[in-house]
Amino acid sequence: MNAPPDTPPAPHAPDWSLAPDGWNWSAQDADGRWYWYRTEPIPGIGGGVWRSNSRNQQYAADGRPNPDWFDSLRRRPEAAPTPGQPSRPSPDTPA
């Protein structure tokens, strides 16, 4: 499907150079909003959103609605696992 010419292309994940130090996760909600996370977020119970303590999430950028929001979680490429946190690789990280 082709987007109308006046519709901007769907944005990619925000650039990690814009993330605050120590905020090593990003994810996009179904409504298109991207957030930085200080701790690994979890999917919201009702779906469509990622959740973390409000002190551990920060708005990053707007995007187009994303029906595949669940696949948007990313870990900062150079971030080492935090002690006590799962060491689940980012989908951007080659296996």
Side-chain angles (χ1 to χ4, degrees):
M1 172 188 262
N2 291 332
D6 59 343
T7 303
H12 298 284
D15 188 313
W16 283 109
S17 68
L18 303 174
D21 288 339
W23 294 65
N24 295 328
W25 298 92
S26 71
Q28 185 182 35
D29 290 347
D31 67 3
R33 291 185 184 125
W34 284 93
Y35 291 88
W36 303 120
Y37 294 92
R38 194 176 356 217
T39 58
E40 183 177 5
I42 59 172
I45 293 172
V49 296
W50 290 94
R51 293 286 181 223
S52 184
N53 180 295
S54 62
R55 293 181 194 155
N56 293 331
Q57 67 183 43
Q58 178 178 328
Y59 172 80
D62 274 328
R64 295 174 106 182
N66 181 1
D68 297 322
W69 66 274
F70 191 79
D71 295 324
S72 69
L73 181 63
R74 301 288 183 263
R75 184 183 195 125
R76 187 188 294 257
E78 69 275 11
T82 305
Q85 290 283 349
S87 58
R88 186 172 80 185
S90 164
D92 290 340
T93 305

